[in-house]
Amino acid sequence: MKIVVALGGNALQNKDSDFTSESQLNIIRKSVKHLVDIIEKGHDLIITHGNGPQIGRIIIQNEIAKGITPAMPFDVCGAMSQGMIGYHIQQALGDEIKERGKKKSVATIITQIVVDKDDDGFKNPTKPIGPFYSKEEALRLKEEKGYEIIEDSGRGYRRVVASPKPKKIVEIETIRTLVDNGNIVIAAGGGGIPVIEEGSKLRGVEAVIDKDLASERLAKDIDADILLILTAVDKVYLNYRKTNERGLNKVGVVEMKKYIEQGHFAPGSMLPKVLASIGFVESKRGRKAIITSLDKANTALCGLSGTIIE
């Protein structure tokens, strides 16, 4: 089967480890073992991933070094994070595949995703990015650079950018060609680089596409059989972390929509995963989505764990 695997942040970085390149690579080396288990069963994998902490650190580096070298715009920072994380996943996967005596090529595609310049997300930026600022710094940045700034839960002030919906993937034909020829592809990292169309040209914009919705778009466009969203929990829960918590196993789309209406899923965490899953499953008969943890990925594909949405 053709499977789009959306890697959560816990597959890339451990909150108890340091933030060095070496530490990230070591965590990814452990994570990809679960992916190679899937590959050994004959499935074709297309891998997406988040980039929140990584792009945040790139922006901090930009801020600190701006007196020495010009800071890069946000879309370029997104491309840098795609390259960095893709390189680590690509290397770790390649090494693990070779260790098991298999032959499979891995390629990272720096991915642009077209968004609508009139998307409602641009009218109300809500996605926090980068470091925290004092009130004085925030006011200065708002005046000098026109940044949208919000106070973030008593922790300080942060810049916010738009979070528009993905319309189409620019490099989709390249991705399809690589997958059809038996390659493992890493694409749409961090939700992809948001670009808008200006005539026949593309222009990067300062925005963040939700990584789960980007994974849904990618899974639809390459005609995947399964969208496998890997996160920090083993399945989707109703009444999460309450005394009446209940895990969901196999669920239909209609039932899942009812749970959304009842407000069971947090907007910043589980809700986009559920919405992406529903969107993918509804797009074509026979498709299914699975939400589970990295260590349960294989058993979830066998129908023995995770939340399976059909």
Side-chain angles (χ1 to χ4, degrees):
M1 287 187 289
K2 195 183 295 182
I3 304 171
V4 169
V5 180
L7 289 178
N10 60 318
L12 308 176
Q13 183 174 293
N14 189 316
K15 63 180 181 179
D16 298 322
S17 65
D18 58 45
F19 299 145
T20 63
S21 174
E22 181 182 11
S23 177
Q24 178 174 279
L25 180 57
N26 286 337
I27 291 163
I28 290 172
R29 286 193 186 283
K30 294 174 185 175
S31 299
V32 299
K33 293 179 185 294
H34 299 283
L35 302 185
V36 179
D37 290 342
I38 296 170
I39 293 164
E40 283 192 314
K41 292 178 179 176
H43 300 302
D44 294 321
L45 290 197
I46 305 91
I47 300 164
T48 71
H49 59 81
N51 70 343
Q54 291 83 4
I55 195 170
R57 290 196 293 277
I58 290 170
I59 293 168
I60 290 170
Q61 290 168 347
N62 262 345
E63 289 289 321
I64 293 172
K66 64 187 176 185
I68 302 170
T69 183
M72 292 293 106
F74 187 67
D75 57 315
V76 177
C77 292
M80 292 165 71
S81 72
Q82 278 193 13
M84 174 179 67
I85 299 168
Y87 158 61
H88 279 162
I89 298 173
Q90 183 174 307
Q91 186 182 89
L93 265 177
D95 289 348
E96 183 67 22
I97 289 166
K98 279 187 283 186
E99 265 189 38
R100 299 195 193 188
K102 307 292 181 181
K103 292 185 76 175
K104 200 87 170 169
S105 295
V106 188
T108 299
I109 302 297
I110 304 300
T111 312
Q112 304 170 93
I113 298 186
V114 175
V115 299
D116 189 337
K117 63 180 174 54
D118 297 319
D119 189 288
D120 286 343
F122 288 110
K123 299 170 188 173
N124 182 32
T126 57
K127 184 71 175 176
I129 61 166
F132 288 91
Y133 301 106
S134 67
K135 188 174 183 178
E136 293 72 23
E137 288 175 312
L139 289 171
R140 178 179 59 79
L141 289 169
K142 190 169 185 175
E143 186 176 330
E144 289 180 4
K145 297 191 175 184
Y147 286 175
E148 293 284 341
I149 305 282
I150 63 164
E151 197 278 325
D152 191 347
S153 306
R155 297 179 295 174
Y157 292 79
R158 292 184 81 187
R159 181 185 176 194
V160 289
V161 296
S163 187
K165 293 181 176 63
K167 286 180 61 184
K168 65 180 179 181
I169 297 171
V170 176
E171 290 78 17
I172 193 63
E173 290 303 328
T174 302
I175 295 167
R176 282 197 193 112
T177 300
L178 287 166
V179 173
D180 290 346
N181 282 279
N183 301 286
I184 301 164
V185 179
I186 303 157
I193 305 162
V195 296
I196 59 172
E197 294 174 319
E198 294 183 335
S200 60
K201 295 184 179 180
L202 299 173
R203 177 170 66 83
V205 291
E206 297 193 331
V208 174
I209 299 170
D210 182 274
K211 66 183 186 303
D212 297 309
L213 298 183
S215 299
E216 175 202 345
R217 180 75 271 158
L218 177 61
K220 287 177 179 176
D221 290 352
I222 62 163
D223 196 22
D225 301 291
I226 296 174
L227 172 59
L228 177 60
I229 299 178
L230 301 180
T231 185
V233 292
D234 61 338
K235 61 181 67 176
V236 180
Y237 287 87
L238 303 180
N239 305 308
Y240 184 54
R241 289 185 173 174
K242 297 178 181 177
T243 53
N244 58 341
E245 176 182 272
R246 177 166 72 89
L248 298 175
N249 300 317
K250 291 188 177 180
V251 194
V253 165
V254 173
E255 186 180 354
M256 211 54 157
K257 286 181 177 179
K258 180 182 72 177
Y259 296 141
I260 292 173
E261 289 174 4
Q262 292 171 354
H264 280 286
F265 311 125
S269 56
M270 190 54 74
L271 181 59
K273 294 171 176 52
V274 171
L275 290 173
S277 298
I278 290 172
F280 175 69
V281 171
E282 286 188 320
S283 63
K284 186 178 179 180
R285 183 175 291 277
R287 288 176 171 171
K288 67 179 175 182
I290 302 171
I291 302 174
T292 191
S293 54
L294 180 66
D295 62 316
K296 295 286 197 305
N298 277 278
T299 53
L301 284 170
C302 297
L304 301 175
S305 61
T307 296
I308 300 168
I309 303 168
E310 297 179 296

